[in-house]
Amino acid sequence: MPSMRVLIVDDEPDMLEVCRDTLSALGRVELVTEVDSRRAADMLAESGWDLLITDIRMAGLSGVELLEKARHEDAELPVLMMTAYPTVETAVESMKLGAADYITKPFIPEDLLATARRLLESRRLDQENRLLKHHLERRYAFGEMVGRSAAMAAVFETIERVAETDVDVLILGETGTGKELVARTLHERSSREGGHFVPVDCGAIPEDLLESEFFGHERGAFTGAASKRLGLLEFASGGTLFLDEVDHLSLKLQAKLLRALQERRIRRVGGVREFDVNTRVVAASSAELGRLVREERFRSDLYYRINVAPVELPPLRRHPDDVPLLADHFVARYAREMGRDPVGIEDDALEVLTAYPWPGNVRELQNVIKRVLAMARPDVIRVEDLPDEVIAGAGMPSDRDRRGYFGLRDQYINAFERDYLVQQLRQHEGDVTSAAADAQLPRGTLYRLLKKQGLDPADFRDSEPPAV
């Protein structure tokens, strides 16, 4: 563990001595003790603290006041509270202000040591994660978006340029390419970052409620309108309104939205007064809006109004070199969320993932990785851990010449795999459990391989096996 700094504050010198003796077992940790809580408050202004341990009742500043000071200086600094006079109210107040833990005096030294070690380890991991995230973003990412291909670099450049302006934006791309992620990135990198980001799925709201949802309504505007309600355009004022699948809006609502965007003024349903809104609209569609305009299913004036700064997202099949990076990103993310140790991906599995055409784009890849980690607990993801449809889809003829190295290699592997499975089933007379143990494979993996090769274990039980 690298050197870390701990500040211990208590107005009882004997207690400071106990804490120092106990925590000296932490090893390479600098322990600083302070009997004066006011001096401790000044010391918190220094950078580099990794843990604050403070008594609650002290002369001068209380531990709660010191906690508030710590939160002001470093919102992420863990704080461990100590007290000889425990009350529910004090504990609740401490936790509300952000204390990481709470310990009652007199305490067992091992409890203090274990709690301090846990908080310091958590602090270290948080710092490492921030460093790794920064490193990833600097090299291959743009906000929460990941990619290093030329296609994604062009998208990142467009977002960077457009975010600096305040114009409305149209994001185009197939389902699952990450249109909402682009919209969020635009919002976070714009001058509107402090305002609301309001996402709306235009296809999920019933048409008869859309006008009220967009513009709000006054009390009594219609049956059930018992009170005034803000609309989404008003709520997003000062921020960004993201209209996903904007092509689902009716022509009537398109006309009202166009007027609101042109004048930046709205009137609630049932209201008589118009008022200004300062809302940036980012619209998105997986449909070809130009074709819908020609078919008169989407207003041309609204199309030109929102298409001031277009962002086009390529489907994943057009930048397959980003698949390994995305897969690693999702594996790390979901392993962490599931409380798992780090999980790797074998090269052969990465090759399958890269060769698969991903009709559902990045969202499908994300769901496949999450499914693999949820359904199994591998320390390394192998080909057999991947869904059958992905393996089959990756093995279909593609632009790659199947007579080349990879094509011939796959043929030999497939032939070996079938011969080996037939031999195992013959030897164990169709007993899959026994065959899996002998092959040192999980039984579920063996079943998937048998299914892939079209072999039925029942054909090898008490009868002559089929010819290979």
Side-chain angles (χ1 to χ4, degrees), residues 16-325:
L16 289 177
E17 188 75 20
V18 171
C19 290
R20 174 179 281 280
D21 289 345
T22 301
L23 298 180
S24 61
L26 289 171
R28 294 186 58 197
V29 175
E30 180 185 353
L31 301 174
V32 179
T33 58
E34 180 53 60
V35 72
D36 187 331
S37 59
R38 295 190 184 279
R39 281 205 302 266
D42 293 335
M43 295 169 67
L44 283 171
E46 304 173 15
S47 61
W49 297 111
D50 297 292
L51 175 62
L52 169 65
I53 302 176
T54 179
D55 190 21
I56 289 183
R57 288 194 180 184
M58 296 182 291
L61 297 178
S62 70
V64 172
E65 290 173 310
L66 210 55
L67 171 60
E68 291 178 321
K69 172 71 173 177
R71 293 268 73 79
H72 175 72
E73 297 294 343
D74 180 356
E76 304 299 325
L77 178 67
V79 180
L80 173 61
M81 309 295 287
M82 301 186 298
T83 182
Y85 310 96
T87 65
V88 173
E89 292 78 10
T90 304
V92 169
E93 183 180 6
S94 299
M95 293 304 173
K96 279 184 176 180
L97 288 172
D101 214 329
Y102 186 88
I103 194 167
T104 302
K105 297 190 293 186
F107 49 76
I108 300 173
E110 289 76 13
D111 289 346
L112 174 63
L113 179 61
T115 303
R117 180 175 282 125
R118 172 173 57 81
L119 295 177
L120 286 172
E121 179 66 13
S122 177
R123 172 77 163 180
R124 182 183 65 81
L125 290 174
D126 286 344
Q127 291 172 339
E128 288 182 357
N129 287 337
R130 281 197 296 270
L131 179 63
L132 289 172
K133 182 179 178 182
H134 173 73
H135 184 63
L136 177 65
E137 287 181 349
R138 181 171 54 85
R139 294 177 60 196
Y140 304 131
F142 191 83
E144 291 297 317
M145 303 179 67
V146 176
R148 57 185 166 193
S149 64
M152 291 308 297
V155 171
F156 297 161
E157 183 180 352
T158 301
I159 295 173
E160 187 75 71
R161 239 182 5 253
V162 172
E164 296 174 353
T165 70
D166 205 33
V167 298
D168 297 328
V169 180
L170 176 62
I171 306 171
L172 298 172
E174 295 180 5
T175 299
T177 49
K179 295 186 286 295
E180 182 171 344
L181 200 53
V182 172
R184 288 185 181 275
T185 304
L186 281 167
H187 172 74
E188 291 166 0
R189 290 176 176 265
S190 72
S191 59
R192 296 174 174 269
E193 180 185 7
H196 292 118
F197 175 83
V198 183
V200 183
D201 185 347
C202 298
I205 303 175
E207 185 174 341
D208 57 340
L209 297 179
L210 273 172
E211 184 175 357
S212 174
E213 289 290 327
F214 271 60
F215 300 101
H217 60 252
E218 298 290 352
R219 182 173 181 271
F222 50 83
T223 303
S227 60
K228 180 181 73 175
R229 181 177 177 181
L230 300 182
L232 295 171
L233 278 162
E234 186 177 354
F235 181 68
S237 188
T240 304
L241 179 65
F242 173 54
L243 302 179
D244 197 12
E245 303 302 341
V246 68
D247 53 289
H248 284 70
L249 296 179
S250 67
L251 291 173
K252 176 184 176 182
L253 192 59
Q254 288 178 33
K256 293 191 174 185
L257 177 62
L258 173 65
R259 182 174 181 274
L261 294 181
Q262 287 174 333
E263 300 182 9
R264 302 294 168 176
R265 292 177 64 81
I266 64 170
R267 183 175 61 205
R268 299 190 189 105
V269 176
V272 295
R273 183 177 64 88
E274 288 191 340
F275 49 90
D276 297 334
V277 291
N278 176 25
T279 305
R280 182 186 199 180
V281 170
V282 176
S285 176
S286 56
E288 186 184 342
L289 286 185
R291 174 176 56 80
L292 297 183
V293 168
R294 292 191 296 274
E295 295 173 357
E296 298 184 351
R297 294 163 54 195
F298 197 86
R299 291 182 63 103
S300 60
D301 43 8
L302 178 59
Y303 173 64
Y304 296 126
R305 185 67 186 77
I306 62 177
N307 196 27
V308 178
V311 178
E312 296 190 28
L313 288 176
L316 187 53
R317 63 183 175 275
R318 292 186 185 168
H319 54 111
D321 42 333
D322 281 330
V323 170
L325 185 66

Side-chain angles (χ1 to χ4, degrees), residues 342-356:
V343 177
I345 309 178
E346 278 194 348
D347 289 344
D348 284 351
L350 280 177
E351 186 179 336
V352 170
L353 293 174
T354 304
Y356 183 68

